[in-house]
Amino acid sequence: MERWKGRVALVTGASVGIGAAVARALVQHGMKVVGCARSVDKIEKLAAECQSAGYSGTLIPYKCDLCNEEEILSMFSAIKTLHQGVDVCINNAGLAHNEPLLSGKTEGWRNMIDVNILALAICTREAYQSMKERHVDDGHIININSMGGHRMVPSADEHFYCATKYAVTAMTEGLRQELREAKTHIRATCISPGIVETEFAFRHHNSDPERAAAVYESIKCLKAEDIASAVTYVLSAPAHVQIGDVQMRPVEQVS
């Protein structure tokens, strides 16, 4: 991670869970991390914790609604003005709603598309353009995906969510191909965790907290820090090594 010291990373959905763990790990390794979320209170608290811990990097909170393209573009403009641009983009933000294919509400489907697919695509495009205009040829774009992007979960509540994550799998490979065609050494990686113990299930099953708790009680789950370790592993790979997809799940997870 030595070569990333002092360089700029954007982490979306950085207020809790995997995003917060990734932001902390990158700051610990000396990076300037712009952590964005719709609410920055928790990111501000995390930034203070990182500073108190004496980490060599810095965490810069940025309020951004990823459903609004103008806010995303404004964020990238601010990063350009204040920090020159993005060298590493961690597309972590994602959400799920209980909206089955046969009876789900369009509003829930659209929200999943906006955050899980469109925001990721916009951030990827803007991060690449930031790298290109500064002649950064060793940047990295990492999409935090899901095992749900590789196999369909046998639960109607998850089917549309899985569809958005299949899109992330396809977009990551498409991105790798486009980067190769552009003759750049910027890398693209997809990290696909299984069950991770975060606030995700409680947000997903917000009307049934017992069901959410049961998700994490059934097996020994991955921790957010496990995913952060995967991110630093990917970033630490030699510049000529392309790690395309990291699939990781708890040992006890069935599928």
Side-chain angles (χ1 to χ4, degrees):
M1 290 292 290
E2 192 68 26
R3 69 188 179 92
W4 294 112
K5 280 191 174 180
R7 300 185 68 180
V8 179
L10 169 66
V11 179
T12 66
S15 60
V16 295
I18 293 171
V22 170
R24 179 191 292 273
L26 298 184
V27 171
Q28 201 167 358
H29 284 286
M31 296 194 75
K32 294 179 184 176
V33 179
V34 177
C36 81
R38 285 178 299 174
S39 174
V40 295
D41 293 351
K42 291 180 180 178
I43 305 177
E44 289 171 347
K45 182 181 177 183
L46 178 58
E49 290 174 4
C50 290
Q51 187 174 14
S52 297
Y55 295 161
S56 55
T58 54
L59 176 57
I60 303 108
Y62 195 96
K63 186 175 181 178
C64 181
D65 180 357
L66 293 172
C67 292
N68 186 323
E69 182 175 7
E70 290 305 313
E71 289 197 23
I72 297 174
L73 298 180
S74 177
M75 174 175 65
F76 274 91
S77 178
I79 293 171
K80 179 179 179 178
T81 300
L82 298 172
H83 311 289
Q84 273 133 24
V86 171
D87 302 308
V88 173
C89 179
I90 313 289
N91 287 309
N92 165 73
L95 51 80
H97 296 297
N98 295 338
E99 305 293 356
L101 296 173
L102 298 182
S103 58
K105 297 182 181 65
T106 305
E107 180 183 5
W109 294 342
R110 184 173 290 116
N111 190 217
M112 284 186 273
I113 289 172
D114 284 345
V115 176
N116 299 359
I117 301 176
L118 284 177
L120 180 147
I122 295 167
C123 287
T124 294
R125 179 191 67 202
E126 296 305 310
Y128 169 70
Q129 293 299 330
S130 172
M131 296 174 200
K132 182 182 177 183
E133 70 181 22
R134 293 176 297 123
H135 306 290
V136 170
D137 194 48
D138 65 343
H140 210 134
I141 297 167
I142 299 176
N143 296 328
I144 306 300
N145 195 0
S146 167
M147 285 302 300
H150 300 276
R151 84 282 189 269
M152 187 59 69
V153 176
S155 168
D157 289 343
E158 314 289 341
H159 290 161
F160 198 95
Y161 168 76
C162 286
T164 67
K165 290 303 184 176
Y166 267 85
V168 173
T169 301
M171 287 194 296
T172 306
E173 174 58 15
L175 174 61
R176 186 192 69 81
Q177 293 185 17
E178 289 189 29
L179 290 170
R180 185 186 60 198
E181 289 167 7
K183 301 192 185 311
T184 174
H185 294 95
I186 296 168
R187 296 180 290 179
T189 299
C190 184
I191 296 178
S192 302
I195 300 174
V196 186
E197 189 172 356
T198 64
E199 295 182 9
F200 188 88
F202 290 95
R203 292 181 174 185
H204 183 24
H205 303 296
N206 57 5
S207 61
D208 191 351
E210 289 185 6
R211 181 180 176 187
V215 171
Y216 300 138
E217 291 170 358
S218 60
I219 60 173
K220 183 173 176 57
C221 303
L222 298 177
K223 302 293 185 184
E225 290 75 17
D226 297 324
I227 317 308
S229 294
V231 169
T232 56
Y233 164 74
V234 165
L235 287 172
S236 300
H240 68 286
V241 177
Q242 171 75 62
I243 300 174
D245 190 6
V246 178
Q247 295 185 26
M248 51 194 299
R249 53 166 75 84
V251 171
E252 298 172 25
Q253 185 171 337
V254 176
S255 63

